[in-house]
Every structure is written in C-alpha cells, then in structure tokens.
Amino acid sequence: MTTQVIDHRGGVWSIAVPIPDNPLGHTLVHLLETDRGPVLIDTGWDDPDSWDTLVAGVASCGFALTDLHGVLITHHHPDHHGLSAKVRQASGAWIAMHAADTAVVRRTREAEPGEWLDYLIAKLAGAGAPDDHLAPLREARGSGRGRRPPGRRAALPDRGIEPGELLDLPGRRVRAIWTPGHTPGHVCLHLEEEHPGGRTRGFGRLFSGDHLLPGITPHIGLYGDPDDSTVTDPLGDYLASLERVGRLAPAEVLPAHQHAFTDAEGRVRELVAHHEERLSGLRALLHEPLTPWQLAVAMEWNRPWEQIPYGSRNIAVSEAEAHLRRLVKQGGAERVPGSDPATYRAV
C-alpha cells in the first residue's frame, strides 16, 4: 500500500484516503499541527483499506494516531465523516461538526431500516419517476430489505462548529465559515495565518471540503431528510456561500478532492456562471410543462441519460429539483396548478 502524503508546510499535510469504487478516487484528509496535538480535517470513507491508509498517512506526518487531539468535519457525507468513530475510539479525539449536519447524522442513526427507502420512493414518485425505476425500490421495501443509508457507523459529534467562530486550536488561527449548499451544515475552515510560501496575493489558506473544488462542480441537490419537511433552497444557499468564500480571497485553497489551487475568486466566478447557465437552460426546457424527472432526462450531463447508472439518476433528479426550486424562487418558473406528479412551466 502506497500512501500519498503532501507536506503543505507550516504544519499542514494532506493524506489521500481512498474511496472504494468511486471515480473521485480519494478524499484529501488534512492534518493540522496545533500546540495541543494534531487535528484532522475530515477522516475518509469507512473501509479497511481507507483506515490503513489514514493510519499510515498520520505516521508519515510524524505522529501516532494516539497523538490526535480532535477532528473537524466539513460535512456529514460518508467519504468525509465515515471513519470518525474509529478515529475517536483509537485516539480519544473530539469530533466537531456544524449543528445542521449533526442533526442529519443523529436522524440517520435513529431511523428505522425502511424509513429512508419509503422516503426515497415517495420523493421519486412525486418527481414523476416512471414505474420501471420505482419497481426495484418497491420490491426491496416489500421484501423487508430496507437498506440503511451509508455512514451509520460514523461518530455522533460531541462538539459544534459555530459560524464565524475562531476555533479552540492553541497556536493556530482557524475560523469557521458556514457554507451551506452541498449539505445544510457544510463548513470551510480559514487558516488565518500568512502563507508559508510567502504569497502576497490573498491571505491565509482555506480548507474548502467539497464547497470549492478546482475542476469539479459539487453536487447541489435537495437536502435529503425524511424527518425534515422544511422547504429549503440549496442552490440559493450554495451561491450565497460561494460569494462569501470569494470575498475571503485566500492565498490558497486546500480542497477535499483533486488538488490544492489558487485564485479562489476566479473559481467562484466560474461556478456562479455555470449555475446561471444551468438555470437559463432549465427555463428554456420548460417552454413545455415537465416533471422534475422529465427535466432531468432532458438536461445535459457528463454522459447520455441512457448511460447514467441507476443510483446516479436519483442524484441527477435531486440536482434538477434543486435548480428548479431556485428557478421558481426567482420567478422564472411555476408549478402547474393541480398537477400530480408535480409539473412545472416557465413564466
């Protein structure tokens, strides 16, 4: 096993922790040295190879797992939060997360096995999914194979991360920036210290999680939660969060996937333009009334709809719904009165 560790200098390292059977390849778990011991930013997927890689990576940074003081989780997704319980068990480290994502973790742990399947079936049916797509889910539910969502073995965090808070990390200045959109409680962490490379453009370094990535547009879909009926606007949240991060103007961004990069403001502009173009394209498609499912089928993806795997179609529909909800909020589309499943048209 080869562990890829990068020393970003100034007491900051990244460890590439593999994600099994995923085109992303790995999660970049960052290690930050503090006067009270090292702190991890995210942990990686709950998998034996991922665990071995994380342990070896921490050792390559010059520390033992028992040296870990704490873990800061950017968001609740299993490729970021999955190994948190094992890390806490092995080291005694505290686990911190924004309250909105901690609530999702708590409800996921407490959910009955079939509850999420029921929720998914109802959501997809309401979006206009055809019977042949719903049939496998209904069969699984009927046979009692109600699959629990991933990440149930992840730790329930024992600390919160407050927006704008200067975190209690002795010897370091790390400020929490609440950046909802990818999840309701996603946070970026701004290391408010001079860049060790002496870069004069921008200030500090930003641990950006999945919020800001150099070559990927993070998934922005509806916040999935069976127990939460709040009508949210994830894309609106994300666009506002992007503007907030752009104004920070960090000298360097250390994301959770791909690689470190500069020019956060330029990347923010690219992502804002991408979503504005996406919204404009959706409005054009709605010259005729469409359900969210029909809209997803008609949208442009990185491959033809026929080649999109079954599970990824559910993600695509959620993304179409998030953009549709934003379009309605902007006054560019409306629901057709009385339609069932819900059908939308341009205004």
Side-chain angles (χ1 to χ4, degrees), residues 87-148:
V87 168
R88 184 162 65 189
Q89 183 178 13
S91 66
W94 46 259
I95 312 291
M97 182 186 284
H98 186 280
D101 272 21
T102 296
V104 176
V105 174
R106 181 177 290 108
R107 287 193 287 263
T108 300
R109 289 165 66 95
E110 294 172 354
E112 293 299 319
E115 189 176 346
W116 282 79
L117 258 184
D118 288 341
Y119 170 73
L120 182 59
I121 291 167
K123 289 284 288 182
L124 287 168
D131 285 340
D132 62 349
H133 186 85
L134 296 173
L137 296 171
R138 287 171 172 156
E139 181 184 348
R141 187 67 181 98
S143 63
R145 300 196 315 272
R147 186 177 65 84
R148 294 178 184 267

Side-chain angles (χ1 to χ4, degrees), residues 142-159:
S143 63
R145 300 196 315 272
R147 186 177 65 84
R148 294 178 184 267
R152 289 186 63 88
R153 295 197 298 180
L156 189 65
D158 40 57
R159 291 191 182 186

Side-chain angles (χ1 to χ4, degrees), residues 227-294:
D227 291 333
D228 191 350
S229 58
T230 308
V231 179
T232 56
D233 178 18
L235 183 55
D237 291 345
Y238 182 64
L239 293 172
S241 300
L242 278 178
E243 299 287 358
R244 193 177 309 132
V245 164
R247 288 194 298 271
L248 279 179
E252 187 176 29
V253 180
L254 302 173
H257 302 289
Q258 297 190 301
H259 54 81
F261 65 101
T262 57
D263 192 16
E265 305 101 303
R267 184 60 181 143
V268 164
R269 287 194 298 270
E270 290 175 357
L271 288 166
V272 170
H274 165 80
H275 287 290
E276 286 177 348
E277 183 180 337
R278 201 77 158 150
L279 289 166
S280 178
L282 258 66
R283 191 167 185 273
L285 289 171
L286 291 172
H287 67 275
E288 60 176 341
L290 296 173
T291 65
W293 178 275
Q294 291 169 330

Side-chain angles (χ1 to χ4, degrees), residues 71-74 88 94-103 106 156-169 174-178 185 187 189:
V71 180
L72 298 164
I73 302 293
T74 61
R88 184 162 65 189
W94 46 259
I95 312 291
M97 182 186 284
H98 186 280
D101 272 21
T102 296
R106 181 177 290 108
L156 189 65
D158 40 57
R159 291 191 182 186
I161 298 178
E162 294 295 327
E165 168 188 18
L166 195 62
L167 301 176
D168 181 19
L169 301 174
V174 179
R175 192 172 301 279
I177 312 297
W178 183 35
V187 293
L189 302 163

